[in-house]
Amino acid sequence: MISVEDLRLAATLARSESLSAAARMLNVSPPALSMRLRKLETLLGLTLANRDARRLSLTADGERFSRECALLLEQLEALPESFRQQDERLTGTLRLAAPFGYGRQRIAPLLARFARLHPQLRLQLDLRETPWPDRRDSDAVIHIGHLNDSLWIARPLTQNHRWLCASAAYLEQYGVPSSPEQLAEHRCICIRENDEDVTLWHLRKGQGRKTLRIEPALLSNDGSVARRWAEQGLGLVLRSQWDVSDAIANGSLVRVLADWQFDSAPINLLVPSRKLRSPRVEALVAFLEDALKA
């Protein structure tokens, strides 16, 4: 007979790159996990995964079995809540993953409000440089940009316009660019994110479009560092509106080329398909959509 532990094992394997990673998530040793997997495969008469010391990949049967196990686990976890028809309190654990900068500045304060609304809910916020696909073991993931995944749905939360900014001291020394072409004469600060070509900037104004190749004077993989460099007068930085709006409001940065729009990437909340979604995730979706629209 298949046990709940077998369900958790199969669901965890689908979110892991190796047996060692799956063992850490289940808090067991790799040899013990390997033995449990062999016993489960013998019970089913199927090969669920191809594995070696470093990599693990599910077979077609393994992917199907893992999906069904994840669904059964969600149903089991939601079963007590289904009997509390007069009690709308949320319980259990809700795991949310988000990028470092946006998660720290925008999501963490909102999650504190959500925690006060649901005091019996255990909340986990995991901040990472690349929360997707690293944190597929989360219940929901904040992702900046577009994504297509068969098992996850992207719920748009807010726009993510990017503004070109510099300090007043820098603009006084080097002048204010009045056209995109003049950016070649300026010191530019670039942020290296994922595998994107961060030195290729796309702009548009009305029907007009331009593409510029930037030679960065400074380069970092941390957006907060790049913003601080700009505040210190070291150059122009192209940064998300949510990150620089406070700096512009207090005068430490000034927006330039405001009549041009730079490429932007929407901020989405990635959640499982509806049949895999718990009441906790549904509540989080509704809360974040309302909070960020406001």
Side-chain angles (χ1 to χ4, degrees), residues 127-148:
L127 300 181
R128 299 176 72 87
E129 184 176 349
T130 54
W132 185 266
D134 292 354
R135 302 311 297 176
R136 289 183 185 235
D137 58 325
S138 299
D139 298 300
V141 177
I142 299 292
H143 177 73
I144 299 178
H146 300 282
L147 178 79
N148 292 318

Side-chain angles (χ1 to χ4, degrees), residues 126-174:
D126 189 2
L127 300 181
R128 299 176 72 87
E129 184 176 349
T130 54
W132 185 266
D134 292 354
R135 302 311 297 176
R136 289 183 185 235
D137 58 325
S138 299
D139 298 300
V141 177
I142 299 292
H143 177 73
I144 299 178
H146 300 282
L147 178 79
N148 292 318
D149 188 280
S150 59
L151 293 180
W152 291 70
I153 307 297
R155 299 289 294 264
L157 293 178
T158 185
Q159 292 297 317
N160 182 31
H161 299 296
R162 292 196 294 174
W163 290 353
L164 188 64
C165 306
S167 70
Y170 173 88
L171 296 175
E172 182 177 353
Q173 180 178 357
Y174 292 95

Side-chain angles (χ1 to χ4, degrees), residues 90-141:
L90 295 178
T91 60
T93 301
L94 180 61
R95 301 173 296 269
L96 176 64
F100 277 117
Y102 190 75
R104 186 182 298 114
Q105 290 194 35
R106 302 298 183 184
I107 297 301
L110 293 178
L111 211 56
R113 287 170 48 193
F114 188 71
R116 286 191 287 269
L117 294 174
H118 305 285
Q120 297 193 36
L121 190 62
R122 294 186 299 275
L123 295 173
Q124 298 179 9
L125 177 61
D126 189 2
L127 300 181
R128 299 176 72 87
E129 184 176 349
T130 54
W132 185 266
D134 292 354
R135 302 311 297 176
R136 289 183 185 235
D137 58 325
S138 299
D139 298 300
V141 177

Side-chain angles (χ1 to χ4, degrees), residues 19-20 22-24 28-39 51:
L19 278 177
S20 298
R24 287 193 298 272
V28 298
S29 67
L33 181 63
S34 182
M35 183 180 299
R36 284 173 52 184
L37 177 56
R38 286 197 299 270
K39 287 182 178 179
R51 61 270 195 190

Side-chain angles (χ1 to χ4, degrees), residues 11 78 92 94 100 112 115 124 133 137 160 177 205 208-209 219 226 237 246 261 275 285-286:
L94 180 61
F100 277 117
Q124 298 179 9
D137 58 325
N160 182 31
K205 181 169 68 171
R209 293 180 179 272
L219 181 68
V237 68
D246 289 345
Q261 289 183 306
K275 69 176 183 179
V285 170

